[in-house]
Amino acid sequence: MLKWILIFLVLSIITGSVGFSAIAVSFALIAKVLFALFAIGFVISLIMHIMGSGSPKP
């Protein structure tokens, strides 16, 4: 997922520098949404790992 965030970030920078500001805003919004989803998934995964790493059950 980080790969897609970087792709949309680079596309946003390229289109913004060329002058297509509306498209650049769209790419930036997509990158922000993907980053938020990645961050939420990471936090949930981290919490699940911490909760599940108690003493091993026989």
Side-chain angles (χ1 to χ4, degrees):
M1 178 145 348
L2 284 176
K3 182 175 115 178
W4 286 106
I5 295 170
L6 292 175
I7 288 171
F8 281 110
L9 180 65
V10 168
L11 287 174
S12 174
I13 291 170
I14 291 171
T15 55
S17 65
V18 175
F20 298 110
S21 60
I23 297 172
V25 170
S26 298
F27 282 138
L29 179 64
I30 292 170
K32 286 179 187 178
V33 169
L34 287 176
F35 179 76
L37 290 175
F38 174 78
I40 291 169
F42 175 73
V43 169
I44 290 172
S45 174
L46 187 64
I47 290 171
M48 295 299 285
H49 178 71
I50 290 172
M51 295 289 221
S53 65
S55 60
K57 302 193 190 255

